Amino acid sequence: MMNDTVNFTSVGSVEFLDAPVVSEVSPVDGAVDVSLSLAELSFVLTDFQNDSMEYWVETSPDVGSAHDTVSVNGLVSGPVSGLIGETSYSWFVNVTDPLGSGNWTNETYLFETTSDKPFISNVRPADQEENVALSLSELRFSLIDYQNETMDYTVS
């Protein structure tokens, strides 16, 4: 029982969300170094009145889209393919509950893909290194392909 009205705090009124909510997006907004093998964009749809929801997913540049109606809250996804290295992508989720309040939710997310170029590091001797011994018998370097593909290379 609360009798101390001097120290009582009011937190405001209850807020009701009529429009569907998009959450738990993947890849997250602003993600960098996203793999070129990414096959789908995913997110959780929630309608607090438990109405069915119609959603659209679009991408720019166009690497995939989806459109469907779901009758329960939960995880949904849309396919993507043909991602290009070092490219910025936008993806859009538009959701309505046409049989409920008819309110829309429109969300935009961004991500950037990883490089599709092999990465060379740990070069020995270093570029423009001076006083390299004439007896040097080998050159060394590390070569990484972020897509784990086989590589051909030439040293000259």
Side-chain angles (χ1 to χ4, degrees):
M1 185 158 144
M2 181 177 245
N3 294 323
D4 184 2
T5 58
V6 174
N7 292 318
F8 183 76
T9 302
S10 174
V11 293
S13 61
V14 176
E15 182 180 342
F16 293 98
L17 298 173
D18 289 335
V21 174
V22 178
S23 62
E24 299 180 41
V25 299
S26 179
V28 297
D29 189 30
V32 295
D33 292 330
V34 172
S35 172
L36 297 179
S37 64
L38 178 72
E40 67 181 18
L41 306 170
S42 65
F43 49 95
V44 171
L45 287 180
T46 305
D47 183 281
F48 291 101
Q49 290 76 42
N50 294 316
D51 297 321
S52 64
M53 295 168 280
E54 186 173 11
Y55 69 88
W56 294 261
V57 177
E58 297 177 0
T59 59
S60 178
D62 186 8
V63 289
S65 62
H67 173 236
D68 203 357
T69 300
V70 293
S71 58
V72 295
N73 297 334
L75 182 68
V76 295
S77 62
V80 293
S81 63
L83 295 174
I84 298 170
E86 298 177 354
T87 302
S88 295
Y89 290 91
S90 300
W91 60 292
F92 314 94
V93 179
N94 302 304
V95 188
T96 186
D97 59 347
L99 302 177
S101 63
N103 288 331
W104 281 87
T105 298
N106 302 304
E107 301 289 346
T108 300
Y109 305 100
L110 305 170
F111 68 91
E112 186 174 312
T113 53
T114 190
S115 176
D116 57 353
K117 300 172 187 157
F119 180 71
I120 301 169
S121 64
N122 302 319
V123 176
R124 295 291 177 253
D127 188 28
Q128 299 183 14
E129 184 173 328
E130 295 180 6
N131 301 319
V132 176
L134 293 174
S135 60
L136 179 69
S137 62
E138 66 182 19
L139 304 174
R140 292 183 179 216
F141 59 92
S142 298
L143 186 58
I144 300 169
D145 181 81
Y146 293 108
Q147 288 72 48
N148 293 320
E149 298 170 334
T150 58
M151 297 176 280
D152 292 327
Y153 64 92
T154 302
V155 177
S156 57

